[in-house]
Amino acid sequence: MNDLAPLLTPEGRALLDDVRGTAPADELAVATRLRREHPAELVSAALGQARLRQRAAAKFGAADAERMFFTPNGVEQSTRASVAAYRALRLKSMGVTSVADLCCGIGGDAIALARAGIRVLAVDRDPLTAAAARANADALGLAGLIDVREADVTEVDTASYDAVFVDPARRGGRGRIFDPEAYSPPLSWAVQAALKAPHAALKVAPGIPHEAVPAQAEAEWISDGGDVKEAVLWFGGTAPGAVRATLLPGPRTLLGRGLPDPGVRPVGRYLYEPDGAVVRAHLVAEVAQEVEGGLVDSTIAYVTSDALHATPYATAYEITDQLPFNVKKLKALLRERGVGILTVKKRGSAVEPEELRRKALPKQHGPHSATVFLTRVAGAPTMLIGAPARAVTGAGPS
């Protein structure tokens, strides 16, 4: 699909309505029927767009995705709508009324900014991507707030905007790019663009090394529903050097307090699994202090405590057994407990969860469930068996 224009015609839009929700198994029959009355290329484009819309529903919601226009890369690389909305509201809370959205892609972030009442210049150098962004602004009734421009972002004057948002391309021909200087444009260019603006937000990969974060920036790691989605470098109106982890929905935000690494202690009654954003932000010590706990191992981000504390930043499990790693012993224990549903989690173990589940579950499944953690305790390969802890009153600080 190299041109969206045919899909934007009345015939193209009617075809999109006709193929909405087509199951993969039905595509051939639907295509055969429609090609009797429409050009084959247009039918193929409509079916391709329908597939992309179905994939995009997980990020944008079905109501928006069914009206929007996508490219394969656009679906893959777009920000989840909930994350984009959170970031847009944070910019709005800083007093931002206009943003230059550089490397705008198909317009997901521009849409969130516009819905927050912010005027947006959306820039992308790829013609098809820019066309999709323009079509999406129009489809969602936001064309009055979003000006899409096809241009090289390094040549765009952003001086008249309150803020700059940069989402560099982090994928190449061989997949994901981990070196920030290999982003397109490089992180160093994005930082310089950010420093020229009153406010700025740079979206980067959540695996960015902490030493690569500029001293002038606040670094924020964001998860949604327990999955780490991105890191954002904030400039202007924030505290340089600050670190935070934000969990959606909520939002719940944990600010770094510069605590030293927590000590190692014996496994207590409860095990806490910090949210991935907390781990990426190196804020496990803050969680350990909150739950009055310590680490099971100096290299593992599992926190243990004798008490159950309410915290939105970690999931608590009640531990019933601690065993050296041994599949036969685990299988015997599961049989004795009548376990038929086994959840396997791991940190610091090379064992594949699915392989362990296959080997350890008894053939005669019982009605009970259990969670096993494959990890290290004081350096030794260990299995911790338990179950999610019952909730306690209170939601913890935000």
Side-chain angles (χ1 to χ4, degrees):
M1 183 183 64
N2 298 313
D3 187 5
L4 284 177
L7 292 177
L8 300 177
T9 64
E11 182 182 12
R13 291 180 185 275
L15 266 178
L16 286 172
D17 288 339
D18 203 347
V19 301
R20 179 181 300 164
T22 300
D26 298 331
E27 282 191 3
L28 180 58
V30 170
T32 301
R33 173 176 60 83
L34 292 175
R35 283 170 180 164
R36 295 172 188 146
E37 300 178 5
H38 304 279
E41 295 82 359
L42 184 58
V43 172
S44 295
L47 284 168
Q49 192 60 225
R51 286 195 299 270
L52 293 176
R53 286 176 168 183
Q54 290 170 13
R55 287 172 52 195
K59 284 188 175 182
F60 291 89
D64 280 352
E66 287 179 355
R67 293 187 289 164
M68 294 173 65
F69 294 85
F70 299 96
T71 65
N73 285 340
V75 173
E76 182 72 25
Q77 299 177 21
S78 291
T79 305
R80 183 177 289 265
S82 55
V83 178
Y86 162 75
R87 205 184 321 99
L89 290 176
R90 189 167 178 203
L91 282 167
K92 187 177 180 68
S93 72
M94 297 175 183
V96 169
T97 62
S98 61
V99 171
D101 178 2
L102 308 181
C103 309
C104 70
I106 55 96
D109 288 287
I111 289 165
L113 290 163
R115 283 177 167 167
I118 297 172
R119 180 171 56 87
V120 186
L121 170 65
V123 184
D124 202 285
R125 68 181 179 183
D126 179 68
L128 178 61
T129 303
R134 191 174 294 110
N136 289 334
D138 182 63
L140 298 180
L142 298 168
L145 283 170
I146 301 175
D147 175 21
V148 179
R149 186 180 304 175
E150 181 190 326
D152 186 326
V153 297
T154 63
E155 300 174 359
V156 175
D157 182 6
T158 62
S160 62
Y161 292 85
D162 296 339
V164 167
F165 173 67
V166 188
D167 182 5
R170 295 180 298 282
R171 286 183 179 272
R174 297 183 178 180
R176 293 187 180 184
I177 296 171
F178 297 98
D179 178 8
E181 282 307 295
Y183 292 173
S184 179
L187 180 60
S188 56
W189 179 89
V191 169
Q192 291 306 309
L195 293 174
K196 297 175 184 176
H199 301 277
L202 310 184
K203 178 180 172 181
V204 294
I208 185 172
H210 280 234
E211 57 269 23
V213 175
Q216 306 96 321
E218 172 203 294
E220 179 179 31
W221 279 262
I222 303 173
S223 69
D224 187 16
D227 295 328
V228 183
K229 294 302 179 184
E230 65 180 55
V232 185
L233 307 182
W234 295 92
F235 297 79
T238 60
V243 176
R244 67 170 68 201
T246 295
L247 283 55
L248 301 175
R252 296 277 187 177
T253 295
L254 179 65
L255 288 171
R257 300 191 291 276
L259 299 179
D261 291 340
V264 176
R265 52 150 290 172
V267 176
R269 182 176 176 181
Y270 296 98
L271 186 76
Y272 292 85
E273 181 183 27
D275 183 271
V278 171
V279 176
R280 293 281 195 175
H282 296 180
L283 299 181
V284 174
E286 279 72 7
V287 169
Q289 184 181 78
E290 193 171 294
V291 303
E292 300 177 343
L295 299 178
V296 300
D297 184 276
S298 61
T299 64
I300 303 294
Y302 282 140
V303 176
T304 185
S305 175
D306 296 318
L308 181 58
H309 295 267
T311 173
Y313 306 115
T315 302
Y317 295 84
E318 187 169 8
I319 300 301
T320 57
D321 301 271
Q322 177 177 340
L323 303 171
F325 181 80
N326 186 300
V327 177
K328 288 184 178 180
K329 288 185 177 180
L330 176 62
K331 187 171 184 177
L333 184 146
L334 297 178
R335 183 185 300 112
E336 177 187 330
R337 303 277 171 82
V339 172
I341 302 173
L342 182 64
T343 300
V344 181
K345 293 177 171 286
K346 70 169 190 172
R347 279 183 182 166
S349 173
V351 178
E352 290 300 323
E354 191 54 45
E355 179 185 359
L356 180 69
R357 188 181 295 107
R358 179 175 55 82
K359 291 181 177 179
L361 269 179
K363 291 183 179 179
Q364 298 298 323
H365 289 182
H368 303 298
S369 61
T371 301
V372 59
F373 294 87
L374 305 178
T375 186
R376 293 193 302 272
V377 172
T382 303
M383 300 183 298
L384 301 175
I385 298 93
R390 290 181 300 171
V392 295
T393 57
S398 62

